Each structure stands twice: as C-alpha cells, then as structure tokens.
C-alpha cells in the first residue's frame, strides 16, 4: 500500500469515525485495530496493540497530569480560589469595567494554580457572571474576558496539556512548562488593554457604579491573608522547576501538597471537597489516558505503514520557507480545532509535526509554545470549541455558541498577534528556559 493510501485509511478513517459521533477514545482504538490487522500481520499486530496499551500510559513523565488536576479541583471545591477574587475585588473600587478587569487578574492567578482551562472558565463564569449581568454589563464584556482568561490555563504553568505535549513530543517538560509563563502573562496584559479599548469605544458596555475602594488596611489584610499564601503553590510548581530544584513530577507533587496544607490552614479541607476533587480528577485522567492508549499506537502504525515518512517527504518537497511551513502547521491546528478537542488534535498531529519541526531546525520548546497557542485558540473556535460549550452552560438561557464566539473574537486577535510576535522573536518563549538551564 502506498503511503498516501495508508494515510487516507488511518487519518481519514479516524476523522470519519469522530464526525459520526463516536467518542474519541473508541475512534482511535477502532481505527488502530484495523491498522494493525492490515499493516502489522493480523492477530500478531493485535497482540502488539495490547502490549502497547500498558506501555503508553505507564510513562513516568505523565505523572504530573493527575497531580495538576488534583490541585485545580481542590482549589475549586475548597473555595480557596474564591478568596483570591474577594481580595482582588477590594482593590479595584468602582472603575469602569471593574469586573472585566477582575476576571483577567483573578483568572490569570487561578490559571497559575489550576492547570485546567475548563475549570478556570467554569469558575469565572459561575463566580463573576451573575454580578456582571446584575450590573448591566453587555454580553460581549462578560463572555469575552471569561473565555479568553479561561484559556490561559493551557499556556501558563501548571498546564496539563503542556505536560502531555512535552512527554509525547519528546520535549523537555520542565522547559516547556516554564516557557509558557511569559507569553501567558503578556496575553493577560493584552486582554486588559482590549477591555480598555472596548470601554473607550462603548462606555455603556461596562458601566461604572458606586463602589468605594476598601480602606488600605483592609486591602493589605486581604492581599496578605488570601493572596500571598497562594504564592506557596506558585513557587512549588513554577519556582522549584525554574530554580532546578525539582523535576516537573516532583513540583506537581509539592504543588498538590501545598494546596492541601493551605486548605488545612484555612480549615476548608472537608471530606466532601476531597471526594469531589478526586472524582473530577479521576474522570478527566481516565479520559486522557484512554485517548493516549489509542493515539500512541496510532502514531506507531503511521510510522510502520510508511505514512509518516511519506507525509514528511511530501511536506518537505514544497519549496517554502520555515515561516511558511510554520504558518501551514498553525493553520492545520486551527482548522482541526473547529471540529476536535485539543488532546485529539495533539495526538493526531504530533507524529507528523515533530519530525517536520526537526527538519526545519525549529527549537522544540519554542515550537511547543506555538502549538499550545494554536490549541488555546481552538478552545474558542466554533462550532466545537470546548470553552464555548462551557460558557453557554453557565450563561443565561438563550445564549448561543455564536454569541460566545463573537464575544471572544477580539481576544482571539490578541492570541494571533502574540503568536506572530513569538514566531519573529523566539526569545520571548525561550528566555526563562535558558535561565533555568
């Protein structure tokens, strides 16, 4: 079988199964059974598929994923995250767009604590949206900042998807996690600027209201009591990696431990919170691991059938510059993001994109950040952007996917702008990893 026939069978068959409504994990496993039977010797290939299943999910590099998920779930269910918002709220007073700015500021802090874009978006929506509606904010000033800031958890460490990308793409996980910090903070600043521009264009979009700034003593107390202790979690996850004192796995364990310690100190660590956190972590972890089982074998079949080498040779035959190839790969990620979830996109494209990136001498950490930015954009691209569904779920009745997508458009432009800037100036993503080394 020619490489393009093998590619059509594997990739085309997988897309057809996904579009037919089959769950992603089962779609991967189904097409893998067909692939190993055709390309790897019938039942012998099936035996190999079973052997690969345990090997793919017992990698030590995947251990940070459930630990980061536990961190975010515990912060949410114990109420520690809400204390941060209350403290920041005291600092803002009655400025125009106060709650939109609070969304960006508080959401960015929670992104450095949770590692989950969906948890970040759901928490921002349930916490701030009711008050924003009550205060007369227009829908785009409510949903836009929530969707944009919710996606920051995919870029800013600890990012569960960055761990998976690093471990499966053979990228230094610690360097990739740290590399997303500065771009994530720049994005947060761009989001705040976007809010300011929108208010300048339409002052009624986010009306001001009488709300006096809290006394200085109360502000300082709130920052010291409710915000500063969260620095322990941030240091455990980011600081230990940056200083070279811990691996990503060790820092994830310290991060989860620090959340438990804080919850005990605040006397909010209840059995109910623990059970809910464990259930949420288990559900997401099982979903991720099942997809990894299928996608790892999928990439092996692509290589064994000659599809991977054929695709790479085909791609490199084009007389295009490195930037044009990067643009083409970025565009593919965006198009796939309209129809697939981020984990499936990553698993489908990594076997093809990483060899191409190596041929064009792209720095793997820098390329990983570019991929994460594209995957973050795909969270809010209709019709199947995951965060769009989360946003509609926590919004008033009558809110549509189109409403949420239109609200996110200015912030999508911010992410595209940052991707272009990082492509031209790679040191924005590589500066902190170089310090770590």
């Amino acid at each position: 079988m020619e490489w393009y026939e093998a590619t059509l069978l594997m990739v085309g068959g997988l897309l057809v199964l996904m579009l037919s409504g089959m769950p992603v994990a089962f779609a991967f496993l189904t097409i893998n059974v067909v692939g190993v039977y055709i390309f790897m010797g019938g039942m012998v290939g099936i035996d190999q598929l079973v052997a690969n299943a345990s090997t793919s999910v017992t990698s030590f590099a995947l251990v940070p994923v459930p630990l980061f998920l536990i961190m975010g779930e515990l912060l949410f269910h114990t109420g520690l995250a809400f204390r941060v918002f209350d403290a920041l709220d005291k600092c803002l007073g009655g400025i125009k767009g106060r709650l939109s700015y609070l969304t960006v500021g508080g959401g960015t802090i929670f992104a450095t604590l949770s590692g989950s874009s969906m948890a970040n978006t759901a928490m921002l929506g349930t916490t701030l949206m009711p008050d924003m509606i009550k205060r007369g904010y227009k829908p785009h000033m409510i949903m836009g900042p929530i969707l944009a800031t919710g996606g920051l958890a995919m870029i800013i460490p600890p990012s569960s998807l960055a761990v998976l990308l690093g471990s499966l793409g053979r990228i230094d996980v610690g360097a990739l996690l740290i590399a997303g910090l500065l771009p994530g903070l720049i994005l947060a600043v761009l989001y705040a600027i976007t809010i300011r521009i929108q208010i300048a264009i339409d002052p009624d979009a986010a009306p001001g209201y009488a709300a006096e700034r809290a006394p200085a003593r109360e502000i300082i107390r709130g920052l010291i009591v409710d915000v500063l202790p969260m620095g322990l979690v941030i240091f455990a996850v980011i600081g230990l990696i940056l200083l070279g004192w811990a691996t990503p796995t060790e820092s994830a364990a310290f991060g989860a431990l620090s959340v438990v310690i804080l919850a005990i100190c605040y006397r909010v660590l209840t059995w109910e919170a623990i059970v809910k956190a464990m259930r949420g972590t288990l559900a997401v972890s099982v979903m991720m691991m099942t997809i990894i089982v299928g996608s790892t074998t999928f990439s092996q079949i692509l290589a064994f059938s000659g599809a991977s080498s054929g695709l790479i040779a085909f791609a490199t035959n084009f007389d295009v510059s490195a930037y044009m190839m990067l643009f083409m790969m970025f565009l593919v990620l965006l198009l796939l993001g309209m129809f697939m979830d981020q984990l499936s996109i990553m698993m489908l494209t990594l076997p093809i994109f990483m060899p191409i990136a190596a041929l064009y001498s792209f720095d793997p950490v820098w390329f990983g950040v570019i991929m994460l930015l594209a995957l973050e954009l795909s969270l809010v691209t209709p019709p199947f952007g995951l965060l769009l569904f989360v946003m509609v779920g926590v919004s008033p009745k009558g809110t549509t996917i189109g409403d949420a997508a239109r609200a996110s458009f200015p912030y999508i432009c911010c992410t595209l702008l940052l991707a272009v800037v990082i492509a031209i100036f790679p040191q924005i993503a590589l500066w902190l990893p170089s310090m770590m080394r």
Side-chain angles (χ1 to χ4, degrees), residues 97-183:
R98 163 177 164 267
L99 293 176
S100 294
Y101 291 121
L102 180 61
T103 299
V104 174
T108 302
I109 292 176
F110 187 62
T112 64
L113 301 172
S114 71
S116 170
S117 293
M118 294 185 70
N120 204 16
T121 305
M123 191 205 68
L124 292 172
T126 54
T127 305
L128 297 174
M129 176 174 274
D131 198 20
M132 296 170 94
I133 294 173
K134 177 183 174 183
R135 301 292 181 184
Y137 281 59
K138 290 187 177 179
H140 70 277
M141 292 300 296
I142 301 173
M143 293 186 289
I146 291 175
L147 285 166
T149 311
L152 283 180
M154 187 174 288
I155 305 295
I156 294 180
S159 166
S160 301
L161 203 70
V163 174
L164 291 173
L165 176 60
S167 59
L168 299 175
R170 300 179 185 273
I171 303 171
D172 185 336
V173 174
L176 183 57
L177 282 170
I178 295 301
L181 181 59
L182 188 56

Side-chain angles (χ1 to χ4, degrees), residues 45-58 297 300:
I46 302 294
D47 293 338
Q48 186 62 43
L49 172 65
V50 175
N52 289 343
S54 59
T55 304
S56 60
V57 293
T58 52
T297 306
Q300 292 173 348

Side-chain angles (χ1 to χ4, degrees), residues 68 71 108-109 111-114 155-159 174-175 177-182 185 230-248 250-252 254-255 258 432 436:
F68 285 150
M71 283 174 49
T108 302
I109 292 176
T112 64
L113 301 172
S114 71
I155 305 295
I156 294 180
S159 166
L177 282 170
I178 295 301
L181 181 59
L182 188 56
L185 295 177
M230 298 302 160
L232 174 65
V233 183
I234 296 173
F235 175 77
V237 175
I238 300 174
L240 292 179
I241 297 177
L242 189 58
L243 294 172
W245 293 354
T247 64
E250 293 164 346
S251 69
F254 279 120
S258 64
L432 283 178
M436 183 178 71

